[in-house]
Amino acid sequence: MTMIARMEDELKEAMLARDGDRRDALRLLLNSLKAAEKELQRPLSDEEELQVLQRERKRRIEAAEAFRAGGRDEQAASEEAELAVLQEFMPEPLSEDELEEIVDDAIAENGATSMRDFGRVMADVMPQVSGRADGSVVSQLVKEKLA
């Protein structure tokens, strides 16, 4: 079952349950996915769906932070509620140990010894952790290991 089909089913359930916040969040996510499909003029692959959801997750996090900084807690809470719905469709995040193991393997595989090898290690790690770990966290870990 595709991500869009799953979300449409969830949307129907939210509408029947009269859960307005969940319904609205699902509609926003579905619109983003369908807009990406329309832009590419073909159905999205699983990886492309995940990229769209990651982009939306990042937008929600940044918007919530901006609202909090501006003293608009109600809007920040709304963004965080949408983020919670979005997280249901994201893959299970990697634990710190799993992430560290992947980074260690990539460093060993590439024979990386210094920060000059940072790009090669990141290029090896990111496809393995896509959607399951934040890029900034991965980058920080790789920097620590290569320093």
Side-chain angles (χ1 to χ4, degrees):
M1 179 180 250
T2 67
M3 183 82 64
I4 291 176
R6 247 179 69 211
M7 279 190 188
E8 286 172 339
D9 288 346
E10 292 284 329
L11 176 61
K12 287 175 191 170
E13 289 176 25
M15 290 169 79
L16 290 172
R18 298 193 188 284
D19 185 349
D21 293 337
R22 184 172 174 77
R23 178 201 62 211
D24 293 345
L26 287 167
R27 281 183 176 160
L28 286 171
L29 295 173
L30 274 168
N31 283 341
S32 295
L33 288 166
K34 288 181 179 180
E37 262 188 355
K38 194 172 187 178
E39 187 178 310
L40 294 173
Q41 299 181 350
R42 62 176 170 75
L44 298 174
S45 69
D46 291 344
E47 190 173 303
E48 290 166 334
E49 288 175 338
L50 187 59
Q51 287 173 347
V52 171
L53 292 182
Q54 285 175 312
R55 186 172 51 237
E56 290 299 315
R57 181 178 77 194
K58 187 174 181 181
R59 283 184 187 152
R60 300 296 181 284
I61 290 170
E62 289 173 354
E65 288 172 0
F67 283 135
R68 286 237 188 278
R72 300 172 68 185
D73 291 336
E74 194 173 306
Q75 285 92 342
S78 173
E79 292 292 333
E80 288 166 349
E82 288 179 14
L83 181 61
V85 171
L86 180 122
Q87 295 286 33
E88 295 173 23
F89 297 94
M90 298 294 287
E92 193 67 32
L94 290 170
S95 71
E96 255 183 65
D97 293 337
E98 291 172 317
L99 182 58
E100 202 165 315
E101 186 179 322
I102 290 171
V103 169
D104 288 341
D105 289 348
I107 289 172
E109 234 175 73
N110 287 297
T113 56
S114 68
M115 282 303 291
R116 277 185 275 160
D117 304 315
F118 178 80
R120 286 198 324 248
V121 174
M122 286 298 289
D124 193 23
V125 171
M126 288 312 289
Q128 295 179 52
V129 300
S130 70
R132 299 180 63 205
D134 186 45
S136 60
V137 173
V138 175
S139 173
Q140 184 64 39
L141 183 61
V142 171
K143 285 177 185 174
E144 287 172 12
K145 297 274 185 183
L146 293 177

